[in-house]
Amino acid sequence: MEEILRLEKVSKIYEPHITALDEVSFSVAKGEFLFITGPSGAGKSTLLNLIFRAETPTSGEIYFEGRSLSSYKRKEIPFLRRKIGFIFQDFKLLENRTVFENVAISLVIQGLNEGEIRRRVVKILERLGLGGRETQLVKQLSGGEKQRVALARAVVNRPRLLLADEPTGNLDSRRTEEVMDIFEDLNAEGTTIILATHDEALYVDRHRRVLVLDQGRLLNP
Amino acid sequence: MTLIRRTWQEFRNAPWAYLTATLVIALGLAVFSFFGLVYFNLVHFTEQVAQELVLNVYLNPGSTKEEAQAVIAELEAYPLVAKVSYLSAEEVLKDLEKLFEEKDLLAGVSLEFLPPVLLVSFKDPFRASQHLKKLSAKIAALPGVYKVQFAKSWLVRLANLKRFLEIMSLAGLALIGLATCFIIALVVRLSLSQRQKELEVLSLVGATPGFIQGPIIVMAALEGAVASFMALCLVYFLKFYLDGVLRDFFPNATGALLFWGRTELIILIAGVILLCVTGSYWASRRYLRY
């Protein structure tokens, strides 16, 4: 199967001597739905940040669609990020902007026309149960609703790879199931997904590959 | 979306931050440009006073017009000389009559004993003062010249005063200029730091640096231009007011205070715009996550 991502002996050391990741190697096939799990501080978020090129590894190499991330120049990074959706653990939403504006950002930066932006944003919001909330300010939303806005922003521009860092951390069991169904749907449509979670309930019985990280080391490469 | 629309959106996102920053920059700049004007006017004033100090060349009483012309030609050949005025013995007598109220004092003075005078003014009196001794000795040796006199002590005092004013004003101006630059840089940085998260999010969702920084830089340029305009208008009205005050103090004064010339205005405005733009560029760059 064609691979979309490959990590080769990737390490990340924060000065002076905190090893967040220690020679992690694995690859991800196109269309795969991969779980990364492990206790808090295992290195899950660091790993996703490295794949997203929000940080750079201390050593080792990461390849996305066959190209080394270290070969990307500063001006090329935005175009890389348009191919990778990221649902951040702390959402990274603009609290004083509306739901619509937050989701539309991903499309506005690509220069899409207003009609197309409106059509796609409304469609994804409806799909995520946020229809009719377009004009509401994000700061007025609950934690679960913010989570779904973050998810909408990450997938609205149809990324090839979706990274999700604890995407159900603020949701109750019903909303968690709904969000996981959306991930399954996106995956069925061809989006590759890497989901980092410490919640075992998310991946049991799903028959997906699960990588376990502990103290920066991959326990089941 | 065009850059203009995005710039308008940028302003709408943080209107108070931009308006406050513009006002603070305008006030800082007004202080700087006002003290700049004080400096230029003081230096100009000393130069004006120095212009009035002239070299007096007394010709032999009864000198012919040809002898006077030869001395005038010699003086005019000197590059620092601005103007040579000839006062005949009759005009000298008239001046003396104006000077002394006691008419009897001049009753016995014959025109034959009064020397005609050449009044020499200089383009740059302070520079000329360094050469006056040599020049006066040369002129004194010319045929027909009786005596050469100049107010060197006054010129030296004025030159020293001008130098003192230059050092004090320039040092003060440099300090105010540095403070103004610091204020502008700080205000620009603070107004952007409020939007750190927004810039970070934009860079994380795939916006290019040009997309994020373009409107910020245009807004910074506008901020600098508007602040400069406001500051210069304020200083101009202050100068206008001071002109009136000075006329009340010195009723015989004819000139007005100097204002910035076109070149200085362009340099000042361009400098502020450049400072705002570079400040905004580097401040916003800090928050981009690439």
Side-chain angles (χ1 to χ4, degrees):
Chain A
M1 212 171 191
E2 197 182 344
E3 73 177 18
I4 190 167
L5 185 76
R6 189 170 82 250
L7 280 81
E8 288 180 355
K9 293 189 171 180
V10 172
S11 295
K12 179 71 182 176
I13 298 165
Y14 293 105
E15 295 301 331
H17 41 65
I18 299 163
T19 305
L21 287 175
D22 187 10
E23 299 205 334
V24 171
S25 301
F26 66 91
S27 62
V28 181
K30 251 183 194 163
E32 192 178 349
F33 191 158
L34 174 74
F35 284 91
I36 295 174
T37 190
S40 295
K44 303 186 292 293
S45 297
T46 303
L47 181 62
L48 295 190
N49 282 337
L50 293 177
I51 294 168
F52 192 58
R53 196 44 164 87
E55 293 180 62
T56 49
T58 309
S59 64
E61 200 58 83
I62 301 170
Y63 297 89
F64 176 71
E65 293 185 328
R67 185 177 168 186
S68 160
L69 292 192
S70 62
S71 74
Y72 278 82
K73 291 176 186 157
R74 191 174 184 268
K75 62 179 180 183
E76 292 178 297
I77 293 169
F79 300 98
L80 166 75
R81 289 185 182 159
R82 290 177 193 182
K83 297 179 198 168
I84 305 174
F86 200 138
I87 303 161
F88 299 93
Q89 198 169 3
D90 59 352
F91 315 136
K92 293 204 187 297
L93 296 172
L94 304 174
E95 298 280 325
N96 290 317
R97 303 286 188 89
T98 64
V99 169
F100 182 89
E101 286 171 332
N102 268 276
V103 179
I105 281 178
S106 301
L107 303 174
V108 170
I109 58 165
Q110 295 186 53
L112 267 67
N113 68 59
E114 280 181 39
E116 177 68 5
I117 291 171
R118 178 153 290 280
R119 194 184 63 76
R120 281 168 68 170
V121 172
V122 168
K123 189 177 168 190
I124 192 73
L125 288 177
E126 275 172 5
R127 187 173 173 185
L128 290 169
L130 291 166
R133 310 291 285 273
E134 290 89 344
T135 55
Q136 199 163 352
L137 292 177
V138 164
K139 65 181 174 191
Q140 296 167 337
L141 301 178
S142 68
E145 286 168 330
K146 285 180 185 176
Q147 193 94 328
R148 280 179 285 151
V149 175
L151 173 57
R153 187 185 63 191
V155 299
V156 74
N157 67 339
R158 297 165 192 156
R160 292 177 213 177
L161 173 64
L162 180 61
L163 306 174
D165 193 1
E166 303 284 2
T168 58
N170 295 285
L171 304 180
D172 57 30
S173 56
R174 192 171 68 88
R175 285 292 180 199
T176 297
E177 207 48 51
E178 281 175 17
V179 168
M180 288 311 292
D181 286 346
I182 292 163
F183 279 127
E184 290 289 356
D185 288 348
L186 288 168
N187 183 239
E189 288 164 15
T191 306
T192 308
I193 298 172
I194 300 177
L195 194 153
T197 182
H198 67 275
D199 183 1
E200 202 178 313
L202 287 188
Y203 53 85
V204 288
D205 299 331
R206 282 192 191 270
H207 309 291
R208 303 291 191 179
R209 188 155 67 111
V210 180
L211 295 178
V212 183
L213 269 175
D214 190 19
Q215 294 185 328
R217 284 172 178 268
L218 206 54
L219 299 183
N220 59 338
Chain B
M1 213 193 291
T2 64
L3 185 60
I4 296 168
R5 274 184 69 185
R6 284 196 287 120
T7 304
W8 172 239
Q9 185 65 43
E10 171 70 24
F11 174 72
R12 284 181 57 193
N13 286 343
W16 290 111
Y18 277 114
L19 289 175
T20 313
T22 306
L23 274 178
V24 174
I25 294 169
L27 279 174
L29 193 62
V31 173
F32 172 74
S33 54
F34 176 74
F35 279 97
L37 279 188
V38 170
Y39 161 70
F40 280 119
N41 277 287
L42 283 174
V43 170
H44 180 69
F45 175 71
T46 54
E47 278 170 357
Q48 288 286 97
V49 173
Q51 287 284 351
E52 288 168 19
L53 293 174
V54 292
L55 184 80
N56 294 337
V57 179
Y58 297 97
L59 302 176
N60 286 328
S63 293
T64 61
K65 195 89 177 164
E66 288 73 26
E67 282 171 330
Q69 282 300 333
V71 180
I72 290 170
E74 187 75 27
L75 285 166
E76 283 179 342
Y78 197 68
L80 286 172
V81 169
K83 194 179 155 195
V84 182
S85 312
Y86 175 77
L87 286 183
S88 64
E90 290 85 355
E91 287 166 315
V92 171
L93 185 60
K94 277 181 193 167
D95 281 356
L96 288 172
E97 282 169 355
K98 278 183 205 167
L99 196 66
F100 299 111
E101 288 178 0
E102 283 287 335
K103 301 282 177 194
D104 294 345
L105 275 174
L106 298 167
V109 177
S110 161
L111 282 177
E112 290 166 19
F113 292 103
L114 276 178
V117 187
L118 298 176
L119 303 175
V120 185
S121 60
F122 296 96
K123 291 169 191 165
D124 183 348
F126 295 117
R127 224 179 108 204
S129 69
Q130 294 161 15
H131 308 277
L132 277 183
K133 200 172 174 184
K134 208 170 150 188
L135 179 70
S136 56
K138 200 174 159 189
I139 293 166
L142 290 174
V145 173
Y146 171 64
K147 196 176 178 182
V148 180
Q149 255 186 358
F150 58 93
K152 193 181 176 190
S153 60
W154 273 106
L155 262 178
V156 169
R157 279 179 206 162
L158 263 178
N160 287 340
L161 178 68
K162 186 191 170 203
R163 185 100 189 98
F164 173 75
L165 288 174
E166 268 178 351
I167 292 168
M168 292 298 285
S169 310
L170 275 180
L173 202 61
L175 281 175
I176 295 170
L178 270 175
T180 309
C181 288
F182 180 73
I183 288 169
I184 294 176
L186 195 69
V187 162
V188 163
R189 198 171 151 179
L190 280 176
S191 64
L192 279 173
S193 71
Q194 292 178 336
R195 303 178 51 229
Q196 176 178 356
K197 190 178 175 189
E198 187 180 339
L199 302 183
E200 188 188 329
V201 167
L202 279 168
S203 60
L204 286 173
V205 297
T208 59
F211 182 92
I212 301 169
Q213 291 179 295
I216 290 171
I217 285 168
V218 174
M219 270 311 296
L222 285 172
E223 206 173 53
V226 172
S228 307
F229 179 75
M230 285 165 68
L232 292 170
C233 280
L234 187 69
V235 174
Y236 185 79
F237 284 115
L238 204 55
K239 169 217 159 337
F240 195 70
Y241 168 73
L242 288 175
D243 277 341
V245 171
L246 288 176
R247 264 196 296 275
D248 290 342
F249 276 121
F250 309 105
N252 293 330
T254 49
L257 289 171
L258 288 179
F259 192 65
W260 300 100
R262 188 194 288 182
T263 314
E264 286 99 359
L265 281 175
I266 292 170
I267 291 171
L268 201 66
I269 294 168
V272 173
I273 292 174
L274 191 69
L275 197 61
C276 288
V277 165
T278 47
S280 292
Y281 173 78
W282 287 109
S284 57
R285 197 182 148 96
R286 279 164 51 92
Y287 303 130
L288 304 185
R289 296 269 308 268
Y290 293 120

